[in-house]
């Protein structure tokens, strides 16, 4: 797309066309034409998306651990492989995006992840929501993310 002298698409009307135009303006070094406020919002959203993805992965892992904790002796090789795969996926994401480590020590983030895991487990497995403690009984680094650890 050739860069025009003025931006033709608003952020609100078509974010994809807007993003393409903004990238073209950046490459053309036409900084005076950039929509800086929305660009800043989009950059921040990239970080939020990474945090959401990490949370989703950790929730999936915790759900599996909760189910395992409530069905002792039922750790099949399939579940064990699934736990390992999820832990490896999380470890790879944390290696590639080191600042995500901050989430693992953020109390609010941990509370949200635990609440979502409790809710998901309740919906998927039919357990009573109150069966689970208010806060996660396991340590993130030493237990949940630790390869081979089982409740």
């Amino acid at each position: 797309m050739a860069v025009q002298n003025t931006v033709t698409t608003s952020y609100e009307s078509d974010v994809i066309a807007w993003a393409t135009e903004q990238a073209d303006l950046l490459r053309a070094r036409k900084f005076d034409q950039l929509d800086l406020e929305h660009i800043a919002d989009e950059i921040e959203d990239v970080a939020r998306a990474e945090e959401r993805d990490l949370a989703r992965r950790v929730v999936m892992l915790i759900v599996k651990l909760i189910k395992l904790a409530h069905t002792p002796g039922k750790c099949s090789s399939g579940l064990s492989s699934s736990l390992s795969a999820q832990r490896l996926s999380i470890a790879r994401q944390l290696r590639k995006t080191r600042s995500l480590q901050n989430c693992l020590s953020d109390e609010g983030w941990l509370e949200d992840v635990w609440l979502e895991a409790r809710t998901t487990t309740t919906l998927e497995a039919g357990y009573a929501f109150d069966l689970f403690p208010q806060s996660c009984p396991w340590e993130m680094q030493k237990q949940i993310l630790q390869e081979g650890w089982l409740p």
Side-chain angles (χ1 to χ4, degrees), residues 21 28 31 33 36 43 46 61 76 78 93-94 115 119 135 137:
E21 288 177 7
F31 304 124
Q33 296 179 35
L36 295 176
I43 291 170
V46 169
L61 176 59
S76 66
Q93 186 177 22
L94 291 169
L115 177 61
T119 303
S135 59

Side-chain angles (χ1 to χ4, degrees), residues 9-59:
T9 307
S10 75
Y11 178 83
E12 291 80 10
S13 67
D14 185 342
V15 72
I16 302 300
W18 169 88
T20 301
E21 288 177 7
Q22 295 300 304
D24 289 342
L25 290 169
L26 278 167
R27 287 184 186 95
R29 300 183 155 307
K30 296 189 176 190
F31 304 124
D32 59 323
Q33 296 179 35
L34 292 171
D35 181 354
L36 295 176
E37 199 58 40
H38 285 117
I39 290 172
D41 290 343
E42 288 299 314
I43 291 170
E44 287 173 337
D45 196 47
V46 169
R48 287 189 296 271
E50 287 293 322
E51 289 176 2
R52 284 189 303 268
D53 186 57
L54 176 63
R56 181 187 57 77
R57 291 172 191 265
V58 172
V59 165

Side-chain angles (χ1 to χ4, degrees), residues 111 114 118 132-138:
E111 287 173 12
W114 178 247
R118 287 173 67 198
F132 312 115
Q134 289 286 327
S135 59
C136 185
W138 307 312

Side-chain angles (χ1 to χ4, degrees), residues 86-148:
Q86 194 64 18
R87 284 174 170 144
L88 285 171
S89 177
I90 292 167
R92 185 174 33 257
Q93 186 177 22
L94 291 169
R95 263 193 324 276
K96 289 185 174 197
T97 314
R98 295 197 183 279
S99 61
L100 286 175
Q101 289 282 346
N102 298 332
C103 293
L104 303 179
S105 58
D106 179 320
E107 290 299 318
W109 188 86
L110 294 168
E111 287 173 12
D112 289 346
V113 165
W114 178 247
L115 177 61
E116 188 173 339
R118 287 173 67 198
T119 303
T120 301
T121 305
T122 299
L123 295 172
E124 286 183 4
Y127 295 123
F129 185 77
D130 293 339
L131 176 64
F132 312 115
Q134 289 286 327
S135 59
C136 185
W138 307 312
E139 292 184 48
M140 185 63 67
Q141 297 284 11
K142 293 181 181 178
Q143 295 174 312
I144 295 171
L145 298 178
Q146 186 63 42
E147 182 59 39

